[in-house]
Amino acid sequence: MIKKFIHQFASPKTYLFQVNKFYNYIFYTSLLIYVFSIIWGLLFTPEDFVQGNSFRIIYLHVPASFISQSLYAAMAICSFVYIVWRVKLSAYMIISIAPIGAMTTFIALVSGSIWGIPTWGTWWQWDARITSTLILFIMYLGLISFHNSFSNLEKADKLLSWLVIVGAVNIPIIKKSVDWWSTLHQSASITLTNEPSIDASMLYPLIGSILGFFGLIICLVLLSSKNQIFFREKTKSWIKDYV
């Protein structure tokens, strides 16, 4: 029953229809939220007592860091679905997400390094959080290269799915690294179990920037997945009618 449900609502043809139906709403809403939050955070949030104005990079760094991990988690879920139920759209989504994940991880690393110069006095440290995030970036690049090295795409999809699932062990390591080891990074300011440790004047634009940035990245994933579907389904009659 589960298999029938997944195959019914996750076909590439149905997926493209839904993407075209909702894409503009997601894009323009997310863009509005992110621009509003960035303006709020950069121009109207008070200067931090300790970090001064350098803290304002959180409105780029924190969303990029959060989303870089979330995208890998999404790849792991797609990998599980593909391995268990052989839903080919899930395989398409894995390789569609990977380049976007690499990009957001790169943004997180670069923005974190820029933040580290005035905050820690250095642009790089082999800190547990930084190192595990760098490993995530390398994993993204490695998965992309691995998949592209195969001429048999179905075989590549299967092997890639297993590698993604194995690599998912790095996500909780990134998340808990500040708790498990002594690191330069502070503990999470926003958690589901405790009150936020960040002032409300900084918190609200930060939440908005995360939501807006997340929506914009989702739009990139949707565009990437459409290109992947066009490439992988190019011999099918329905795709010719669609194009």
Side-chain angles (χ1 to χ4, degrees):
M1 184 176 180
I2 295 177
K3 182 178 179 180
K4 182 179 179 180
F5 176 84
I6 291 176
H7 278 282
Q8 181 180 358
F9 292 98
S11 69
K13 185 177 181 179
T14 303
Y15 174 80
L16 285 179
F17 174 78
Q18 296 297 333
V19 167
N20 290 335
K21 185 177 179 181
F22 294 105
Y23 178 85
N24 286 338
Y25 296 105
I26 299 172
F27 176 76
Y28 288 112
T29 301
S30 301
L31 181 62
L32 180 63
I33 293 173
Y34 189 63
V35 170
F36 176 79
S37 301
I38 285 291
I39 293 174
W40 184 0
L42 295 181
L43 301 181
F44 298 102
T45 301
E47 182 177 330
D48 185 73
F49 178 75
V50 176
Q51 301 182 50
N53 284 315
S54 65
F55 90 94
R56 299 184 195 277
I57 202 169
I58 65 173
Y59 302 115
L60 175 63
H61 175 70
V62 173
S65 299
F66 170 75
I67 292 166
S68 66
Q69 300 167 46
S70 300
L71 289 177
Y72 195 95
M75 288 173 58
I77 293 171
C78 289
S79 297
F80 178 80
V81 171
Y82 180 68
I83 290 172
V84 176
W85 291 293
R86 286 293 187 270
V87 177
K88 60 182 178 180
L89 179 61
S90 295
Y92 300 169
M93 292 303 299
I94 298 168
I95 197 60
S96 299
I97 293 172
I100 315 300
M103 180 193 71
T104 54
T105 309
F106 180 76
I107 293 173
L109 288 169
V110 172
S111 59
S113 296
I114 295 172
W115 192 6
I117 294 173
T119 305
W120 303 326
T122 179
W123 67 276
W124 185 268
Q125 280 285 331
W126 291 101
D127 166 276
R129 171 65 63 82
I130 298 173
T131 304
S132 54
T133 302
L134 175 62
I135 292 172
L136 178 64
F137 177 63
I138 295 172
M139 285 167 55
Y140 274 125
L141 297 182
L143 292 170
I144 296 168
S145 299
F146 178 81
H147 191 272
N148 291 341
S149 67
F150 282 82
S151 57
N152 185 331
L153 295 179
E154 290 186 2
K155 182 178 181 180
D157 292 338
K158 183 176 180 180
L159 294 176
L160 184 71
S161 297
W162 282 111
L163 287 176
V164 169
I165 290 175
V166 171
V169 68
N170 190 44
I171 300 304
I173 292 175
I174 296 174
K175 176 65 177 176
K176 301 297 292 184
S177 59
V178 294
D179 301 317
W180 292 344
W181 296 287
S182 176
T183 70
L184 290 175
H185 277 84
Q186 65 185 48
S187 299
S189 299
I190 306 173
T191 65
L192 297 176
T193 56
N194 299 315
E195 288 287 331
S197 59
I198 182 173
D199 187 78
S201 63
M202 302 176 184
L203 175 64
Y204 296 137
L206 177 59
I207 293 175
S209 67
I210 293 173
L211 293 175
F213 194 78
F214 184 79
L216 293 174
I217 292 300
I218 290 299
C219 288
L220 285 179
V221 171
L222 295 178
L223 292 176
S224 178
S225 62
K226 285 181 66 174
N227 289 333
Q228 188 66 210
I229 291 173
F230 291 150
F231 173 68
R232 299 288 292 270
E233 301 281 313
K234 60 187 176 183
T235 60
K236 303 294 178 63
S237 59
W238 72 264
I239 201 72
K240 294 177 182 178
D241 296 336
Y242 182 89
V243 176

